[in-house]
């Protein structure tokens, strides 16, 4: 037993970076849809994984590697906006990824699709994902606020084991 709770995708939305306090899923593929507390114009994302110095394995083999971020207008959106495809590299435990393909549309739902990890064949651990953006209020003036992640609920989580 790895001692990691595979039932808690909410762990990826919380600031606890203790070893094992992550969203863990079998294999290297995972998918999560997150409803933000505000509708924002997304400017970037941050991903965090524990450093190999405090990792029980002594490596970041369980860290997500390649992932895609998208914005959805509603949970059943069949034409989401792809913000970009990214790679979490070995090195800094906290990495920022600016939007590659910007949108004039503001979103309150984003999804993350994790397509690979750093070599662990059994499972992947996402410690923290954050969404950065601007909230826009149009009354008699515009006010822009920088947001870290503001999450109400995880709408959908899916994982599957891909066999080659």
């Amino acid at each position: 037993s790895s001692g990691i709770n595979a039932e808690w995708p909410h762990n990826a939305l919380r600031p606890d970076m203790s070893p094992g306090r992550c969203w863990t899923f079998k294999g290297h593929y995972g998918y999560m849809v997150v409803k933000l507390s505000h509708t924002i114009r997304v400017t970037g994302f941050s991903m965090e994984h524990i450093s190999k110095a405090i990792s029980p394995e002594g490596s970041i083999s369980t860290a997500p590697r390649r992932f895609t971020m998208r914005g959805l207008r509603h949970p059943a959106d069949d034409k989401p906006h792809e913000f970009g495809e990214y790679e979490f590299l070995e090195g800094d435990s906290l990495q920022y990824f600016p939007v590659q393909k910007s949108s004039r549309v503001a979103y309150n739902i984003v999804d993350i699709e994790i397509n690979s990890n750093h070599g662990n064949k059994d499972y992947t651990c996402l410690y923290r994902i954050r969404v950065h953006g601007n909230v826009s209020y149009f009354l008699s003036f515009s006010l822009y606020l920088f947001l870290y992640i503001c999450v109400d609920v995880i709408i959908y989580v899916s994982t599957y084991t891909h066999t080659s």
Side-chain angles (χ1 to χ4, degrees):
S1 171
S2 66
I4 297 173
N5 189 342
E7 302 301 319
W8 294 104
H10 281 91
N11 285 344
L13 308 175
R14 297 193 173 129
D16 186 352
M17 292 297 295
S18 303
R21 296 288 297 169
C22 59
W23 169 43
T24 184
F25 51 89
K26 188 174 181 174
H28 66 269
Y29 180 87
Y31 181 84
M32 181 189 306
V33 178
V34 179
K35 184 177 185 301
L36 305 176
S37 64
H38 292 83
T39 301
I40 63 172
R41 289 198 50 206
V42 177
T43 58
F45 310 93
S46 293
M47 183 178 282
E48 205 164 356
H49 191 275
I50 59 172
S51 72
K52 64 181 176 181
I54 64 168
S55 169
E57 295 85 17
S59 74
I60 66 159
S61 68
T62 64
R65 185 172 193 156
R66 290 190 174 84
F67 65 100
T68 304
M69 298 295 300
R70 289 180 285 267
L72 291 80
R73 294 177 195 236
H74 52 81
D77 191 347
D78 62 349
K79 294 183 181 177
H81 175 77
E82 185 177 298
F83 293 115
E85 295 180 6
Y86 304 95
E87 185 172 2
F88 186 87
L89 301 172
E90 189 167 343
D92 293 335
S93 59
L94 173 61
Q95 297 178 28
Y96 176 77
F97 304 92
V99 164
Q100 296 169 350
K101 301 169 190 167
S102 62
S103 173
R104 293 179 187 246
V105 176
Y107 295 93
N108 73 336
I109 302 172
V110 296
D111 75 24
I112 177 171
E113 180 179 9
I114 298 170
N115 297 303
S116 66
N117 67 22
H118 280 267
N120 191 299
K121 294 184 188 318
D122 298 322
Y123 64 95
T124 301
C125 253
L126 176 59
Y127 274 86
R128 192 166 187 204
I129 186 75
R130 290 182 248 181
V131 179
H132 304 275
N134 299 309
V135 177
S136 180
Y137 299 98
F138 294 101
L139 300 171
S140 57
F141 62 93
S142 294
L143 171 66
Y144 294 98
L145 300 173
F146 182 73
L147 284 185
Y148 289 99
I149 193 156
C150 296
V151 176
D152 287 332
V153 63
I154 293 177
I155 297 172
Y156 178 77
V157 175
S158 173
T159 62
Y160 77 90
T161 303
H162 177 71
T163 55
S164 306

